[in-house]
Amino acid sequence: MKILVIYAHPSHEGHCATILKEVEENLKSKGVPYELLDLYAIKYDPLLRECELYGRDIELAKDTKKHQQQIMDSDMIIFIYPVWWNTMPAILKGFIDRVFSAHFAFKYNPVIPKGMMPLFEPLFKLVYNRFDYGMPVGLLKGKKAVVFLTTGSPRLISYPWTGNRFKKIIKKDMLGFFGIKSRLYHISNCRVLNEWKVAEIKRKVRCALKRIR
Ligand SMILES: Cc1cc2nc3c(=O)[nH]c(=O)nc-3n(C[C@H](O)[C@H](O)[C@H](O)COP(=O)(O)O)c2cc1C
């Protein structure tokens, strides 16, 4: 099994950094090959270009092709990031916008039976002339993901207020859309990194990676 670890935090101290350290130690101790993609460290440019908008002839940037290859070469992706304004840091959002592109991570299949297509195609092209049309299909089926996310607020506060949106966005709206099955580990109440928090992180990382060998 080959793993791609995507780290989206500007610091190498704190809760996310501790998760990363534990993940790396766990994988190294088992001899599992992995690659670390530290988005801040590589100064990843998250701005989607006009030529990358889908529905047109997409022109992929060189770094996008490289990251798509890294994804294709891995069986599992491990995401580590803090929740900021109820979602992921912008650098990771931009990475997903640019790298999980149409015809790589998903496509739309026509809903019309094949034989009827010539009849309907002009109409569809007129209505959705800038987009593909049909039912979305994830193209990354078979790949798996583990998501570690941290929040400043405790579970009891973040859930009733946000209805778990920060979980659904990554698990369902993004990874699920691409066909990737994921497991999510939430470390809440991340204010002071004390020995209890470190113990919780160690326990969750061990649990998340126990089937990986
Ligand atoms: C810009 C910003 C936005 C944040 N938004 C949220 C939020 O919406 N919900 C929450 O529970 N914590 C929020 N926090 C707190 C972070 O989630 C928390 O500091 C982080 O998970 C702790 O992990 P770390 O030690 O690795 O930075 C925010 C922090 C920052 C800097």
Side-chain angles (χ1 to χ4, degrees), residues 44 63-64 67-68 71 94-101 104-105:
Y44 181 72
D63 65 335
T64 297
H67 297 317
Q68 289 186 344
I71 291 166
F95 179 85
I96 291 177
D97 290 345
R98 296 186 64 210
V99 174
F100 289 82
S101 60
F104 168 71

Side-chain angles (χ1 to χ4, degrees), residues 7 9 11 13-18 81-87 149-154 158 162 166 186-187 190-191 193:
Y7 183 68
H9 197 297
S11 173
E13 281 169 21
H15 298 80
C16 287
T18 307
Y81 62 88
V83 170
W84 287 353
W85 302 122
N86 232 347
T87 186
L149 42 81
T150 63
T151 58
S153 53
S158 60
T162 65
F166 59 88
H186 174 197
I187 294 106
C190 291
R191 291 155 197 240
L193 183 61

Side-chain angles (χ1 to χ4, degrees), residues 119-163:
L119 272 174
F120 286 93
E121 195 146 13
L123 178 69
F124 272 96
K125 286 224 158 122
L126 192 72
V127 179
Y128 301 109
N129 63 347
R130 280 189 50 203
F131 301 102
D132 291 339
Y133 47 84
M135 291 300 288
V137 181
L139 297 178
L140 298 177
K141 287 193 178 93
K143 298 205 181 291
K144 295 200 164 59
V146 171
V147 180
F148 292 101
L149 42 81
T150 63
T151 58
S153 53
R155 211 168 281 262
L156 276 175
I157 294 189
S158 60
Y159 285 10
W161 273 3
T162 65

